[in-house]
Each structure stands twice: as structure tokens, then as C-alpha cells.
């Protein structure tokens, strides 16, 4: 019997889309919805979406606002801070498609809310 439990998705990326109305920093104010939409579109276009492959999901606050906008890829638990479409393109190509972490986009571990 194997010690490895089969995963429904090979990788699962969550984008924080939380919006704060009290003036605090939040991912929604930094293009998070557009990044989510682009990631989902690229994953679908490249045939990476579905069981045994990749799932792209929206999330509420991931409590790492200081590093925002934020996305996290599981099962690795890799936290990314991104700026533009090219960053999303690189995360999809490198990590979601090929399993290679994009080191330059890693969220510093000490950044929380």
C-alpha cells in the first residue's frame, strides 16, 4: 500500500480577491481580479484545467496583505506576489505547467497582514 494519497488536482492556485473598504491595503486594489481572470484563461487555453491537473480559485483574505497581491499554489504551499500579466504568465508556465517555482516572485516569509 502506498503512503501517498492521490490528489484530485495536481496543483491548486488560490488568488486573494479580498477588498477592504476601510482604506487598508488589500489585494483587490492591486489588480487581483484581472490576475485571477488571466490565470484561469491561460490554464484553460493550455489544457491544464481539470481533475488531475490544475484548479484556479478565488479566495477571501489570505492574511498576507503586506505582500499583496497574493496567490498561493498547493500542494507545495508556495506564496507568490505578482505585479502584472507577465508575472501571471510566468507562474502558469513555470509552476502550474512545469512544477518549477518562480523564485523571483516568492512572497517574503515574514510578510503577513
Amino acid at each position: 500500500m502506498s503512503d501517498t494519497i492521490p490528489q484530485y488536482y495536481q496543483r491548486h492556485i488560490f488568488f486573494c480577491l479580498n477588498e477592504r473598504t476601510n482604506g487598508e491595503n488589500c489585494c483587490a486594489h492591486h489588480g487581483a481580479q484581472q490576475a485571477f481572470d488571466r490565470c484561469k484563461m491561460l490554464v484553460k487555453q493550455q489544457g491544464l484545467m481539470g481533475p488531475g491537473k490544475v484548479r484556479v480559485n478565488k479566495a477571501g483574505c489570505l492574511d498576507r496583505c503586506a505582500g499583496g497581491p497574493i496567490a498561493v499554489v498547493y500542494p507545495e504551499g508556495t506564496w507568490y506576489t505578482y505585479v502584472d500579466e507577465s508575472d501571471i504568465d510566468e507562474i502558469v508556465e513555470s509552476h502550474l505547467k512545469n512544477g518549477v517555482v518562480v523564485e523571483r516572485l516568492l512572497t517574503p516569509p515574514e510578510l503577513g497582514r
Side-chain angles (χ1 to χ4, degrees):
M1 180 182 244
S2 172
D3 290 335
T4 305
I5 299 170
Q7 301 296 316
Y8 191 73
Y9 295 112
Q10 181 182 27
R11 290 193 179 80
H12 206 148
I13 185 167
F14 293 89
F15 284 83
C16 175
L17 300 183
N18 192 53
E19 182 169 10
R20 297 187 187 283
T21 56
N22 61 2
E24 281 186 71
N25 193 27
C26 66
C27 293
H29 295 160
H30 296 284
Q33 181 66 54
Q34 294 85 350
F36 167 82
D37 292 341
R38 180 159 186 87
C39 184
K40 193 159 188 156
M41 183 237 350
L42 290 171
V43 165
K44 192 172 193 176
Q45 276 182 351
Q46 295 184 31
L48 302 174
M49 187 173 279
K53 297 179 184 177
V54 175
R55 174 78 180 168
V56 181
N57 268 101
K58 299 175 183 180
C61 184
L62 294 171
D63 215 25
R64 305 237 17 224
C65 310
I70 292 288
V72 60
V73 177
Y74 288 106
E76 296 94 337
T78 304
W79 292 84
Y80 287 115
T81 299
Y82 54 88
V83 176
D84 55 26
E85 287 185 352
S86 65
D87 290 345
I88 299 303
D89 296 356
E90 191 172 354
I91 291 168
V92 170
E93 184 65 26
S94 183
H95 195 157
L96 300 182
K97 184 176 182 179
N98 296 311
V100 178
V101 171
V102 183
E103 299 282 337
R104 71 178 190 84
L105 297 175
L106 291 177
T107 306
E110 69 279 2
L111 286 183
R113 186 161 174 197

